[in-house]
């Protein structure tokens, strides 16, 4: 089944404790992206990757890092989480080239930073 | 600056057409408009996208004005399962890649 998976789905942590949220897709998509969703603000793009070893900042990259060492994986790293990073996070992937049709989203990771 | 503007909420009677508007007045010539919907807090689901021509698929129709400053998503026969938050999105291409800008969404309630 074509899908984007994220782990963990729920995470409660404390300020300053480094964490990684994993994202994996099995569709051989070139483009992958991370979003955060906060009430009243819709989804905002954090980072995106056009392909392996190619990443770039989205609208709200502060406090986050990413890496793209393999095509299928795009982990999101919070080196020193803070309470303002409490949010619902979505990973997504899309087949690049052409008109970038359907973007597939993962199920979301709900992060709480105390 | 918001790339897209949507009304926060709308109601629609079951079986009637739902027309969801979106303003994207700063859109450039090569920037696509996408529509997604989200049910509860699940991952958003793709509906349709377009550049300048009107588009139709099995889910919906997308009407883009000639000046491309606004668009309308049309769900031709709304059902209760269409109750969701609908997002209008602009894809902006730069020399570093493609960025997607979501609006704040319209919460559509389909009423029996």
């Amino acid at each position: 089944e074509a899908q984007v998976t994220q782990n963990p789905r729920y995470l409660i942590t404390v300020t300053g404790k480094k964490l990684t949220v994993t994202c994996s897709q099995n569709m051989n998509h070139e483009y992958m992206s991370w979003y955060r969703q906060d009430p009243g603000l819709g989804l905002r793009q954090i980072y995106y990757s056009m392909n392996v070893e190619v990443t770039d900042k989205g609208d709200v990259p502060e406090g986050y890092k990413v890496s793209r060492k393999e095509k299928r994986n795009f982990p999101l790293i919070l080196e020193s989480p803070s309470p303002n990073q409490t949010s619902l996070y979505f990973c997504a992937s899309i087949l690049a080239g052409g008109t970038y049709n359907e973007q597939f989203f993962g199920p979301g990771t709900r992060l709480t930073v105390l | 600056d918001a790339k897209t503007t949507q009304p926060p909420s709308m109601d629609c009677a079951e079986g009637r057409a739902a027309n969801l508007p979106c303003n994207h007045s700063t859109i450039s010539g090569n920037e696509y408009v996408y529509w997604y919907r989200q049910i509860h807090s699940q991952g958003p689901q793709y509906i349709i996208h377009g550049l300048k021509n009107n588009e139709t698929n099995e889910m919906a129709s997308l009407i883009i004005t000639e000046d491309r400053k606004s668009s309308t998503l049309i769900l031709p026969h709304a059902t209760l399962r269409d109750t969701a938050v609908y997002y209008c999105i602009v894809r902006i291409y730069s020399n570093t890649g493609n960025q997607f800008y979501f609006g704040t969404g319209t919460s559509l309630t389909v009423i029996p």
Side-chain angles (χ1 to χ4, degrees):
Chain A
E1 179 190 356
Q3 60 183 350
V4 178
T5 56
Q6 297 178 224
N7 282 292
R9 295 288 313 280
Y10 302 90
L11 179 61
I12 301 174
T13 190
V14 296
T15 298
K17 186 176 181 182
K18 181 180 178 180
L19 66 92
T20 299
V21 183
T22 65
C23 173
S24 183
Q25 51 93 6
N26 62 1
M27 295 167 280
N28 203 36
H29 286 169
E30 292 88 356
Y31 185 100
M32 296 185 74
S33 181
W34 277 102
Y35 297 87
R36 61 177 289 172
Q37 183 172 29
D38 303 291
L41 296 177
L43 280 81
R44 294 178 293 167
Q45 197 167 24
I46 303 171
Y47 269 94
Y48 62 93
S49 169
M50 298 290 290
N51 214 323
V52 176
E53 302 292 0
V54 180
T55 63
D56 209 344
K57 297 177 181 178
D59 226 15
V60 288
E62 295 79 19
Y64 304 94
K65 286 176 57 178
V66 292
S67 68
R68 187 91 182 274
K69 293 182 169 39
E70 307 166 280
K71 200 171 188 179
R72 64 183 294 127
N73 296 322
F74 190 45
L76 179 70
I77 303 156
L78 284 73
E79 295 268 2
S80 183
S82 63
N84 64 12
Q85 293 178 297
T86 292
S87 188
L88 178 59
Y89 291 86
F90 288 102
C91 179
S93 74
I94 191 168
L95 187 66
T99 60
Y100 280 69
N101 294 337
E102 180 177 357
Q103 190 164 186
F104 290 83
F105 283 82
T109 294
R110 191 168 291 279
L111 172 66
T112 301
V113 183
L114 302 175
Chain B
D1 287 343
K3 307 293 184 188
T4 65
T5 305
Q6 301 176 251
S9 63
M10 293 181 64
D11 292 338
C12 177
E14 188 178 17
R16 304 295 294 269
N19 296 277
L20 292 92
C22 178
N23 287 325
H24 30 80
S25 58
T26 61
I27 199 169
S28 296
N30 63 348
E31 294 170 355
Y32 281 75
V33 177
Y34 291 73
W35 284 83
Y36 278 70
R37 73 180 183 185
Q38 185 179 31
I39 298 173
H40 300 302
S41 294
Q42 299 173 17
Q45 175 191 21
Y46 169 83
I47 301 173
I48 199 167
H49 75 287
L51 181 63
K52 56 179 78 171
N53 297 323
N54 297 338
E55 302 287 345
T56 296
N57 62 21
E58 64 279 3
M59 288 182 69
S61 294
L62 174 60
I63 308 299
I64 303 174
T65 58
E66 195 168 336
D67 63 8
R68 301 190 68 241
K69 292 186 185 301
S70 66
S71 60
T72 301
L73 176 74
I74 301 172
L75 308 178
H77 305 287
T79 71
L80 298 179
R81 288 185 296 179
D82 292 323
T83 293
V85 178
Y86 288 78
Y87 291 101
C88 174
I89 300 145
V90 170
R91 173 169 71 91
I92 294 175
Y93 177 76
S94 68
N95 56 2
T96 57
N98 290 273
Q99 283 191 248
F100 291 85
Y101 289 90
F102 280 66
T104 51
T106 296
S107 179
L108 175 69
T109 301
V110 179
I111 302 168

